[in-house]
Amino acid sequence: GALFFGLAALTRRMLPVYVAGVVVLVGNLIAPRLLRDIDNRSIAALVDPVGVAAQGLVARYWSAAERNTLRQIVDQMPVGVIVADEAGRLTTQNARSRAILEYDYEPGGPLEAYDRDVPWRASRLDGAPYRSHEYPLVRSLREGEVVIGERMTIERADGSTITIDVDSAPIV
């Protein structure tokens, strides 16, 4: 946001702002694909305008103590967090996610558990249900898509519904 505001204020024209928007969008689309090739990890970290690739590159070399500290921080976050590894196995779910979904994922379980095992159903705001390959986490892992602010309606087993905003990004 500050980048776009700064460009608009300095140039007093909208064209540079639009061009910067396209560059940021292209960077978001290219960075996850570059991360798949080990030779391009540094380039992907530089191209990624959001910084997810750079964080992933740094986190690869964290010690066990640093990873445990990160796990403690994630557990205390006021937002729901679910993490899956590159093979699609669910590795982490924090307490807030358990409270929101009223479900505790089995560590190491497959992404397909979204459809099979959960006591709730997810749908889009228009009522169309999510299929297993349409969930933001699945799309991020399988297609490298960065999802920001996708609204999802969760219908719980007791019939109550909640609407959540979902963000998802591949981290390698």
Side-chain angles (χ1 to χ4, degrees):
L3 170 72
F4 300 127
F5 175 77
L7 278 172
L10 289 173
T11 63
R12 298 177 196 234
R13 294 181 17 209
M14 288 307 295
L15 182 61
V17 177
Y18 290 129
V19 170
V22 170
V23 168
V24 168
L25 177 65
V26 169
N28 258 346
L29 296 174
I30 290 175
R33 285 165 180 69
L34 289 175
L35 282 172
R36 292 186 184 140
D37 183 7
I38 194 148
D39 295 331
N40 294 329
R41 290 186 193 274
S42 296
I43 294 169
L46 293 172
V47 171
D48 182 10
V50 179
V52 172
Q55 176 61 29
L57 188 61
V58 170
R60 289 175 57 99
Y61 304 104
W62 282 356
S63 68
E66 290 170 321
R67 276 186 254 128
N68 286 338
T69 300
L70 180 63
R71 186 176 307 269
Q72 291 170 352
I73 292 169
V74 168
D75 284 341
Q76 296 300 317
M77 292 177 75
V79 296
V81 177
I82 297 174
V83 179
D85 64 15
E86 58 275 351
R89 292 181 304 265
L90 300 169
T91 60
T92 303
Q93 179 185 21
N94 72 352
R96 184 68 183 136
S97 172
R98 286 185 200 93
I100 292 168
L101 299 175
E102 295 180 348
Y103 184 74
D104 190 5
Y105 284 102
E106 186 70 32
L111 290 176
E112 288 72 26
Y114 272 122
D115 270 349
R116 250 192 350 243
D117 302 333
V118 295
W120 46 264
R121 293 291 158 234
S123 61
R124 293 179 176 75
L125 293 181
D126 65 2
Y130 277 89
R131 294 182 297 184
S132 60
H133 68 279
E134 295 176 328
Y135 284 96
L137 179 59
V138 175
R139 294 187 339 242
S140 290
L141 285 171
R142 298 209 174 131
E143 301 164 21
E145 181 180 350
V146 175
V147 178
I148 298 175
E150 185 167 319
R151 301 208 90 181
M152 182 184 291
T153 301
I154 303 291
E155 182 179 349
R156 296 177 173 151
D158 65 3
S160 64
T161 60
I162 59 168
T163 302
I164 59 174
D165 289 331
V166 179
D167 297 335
S168 179
I171 300 175
V172 181

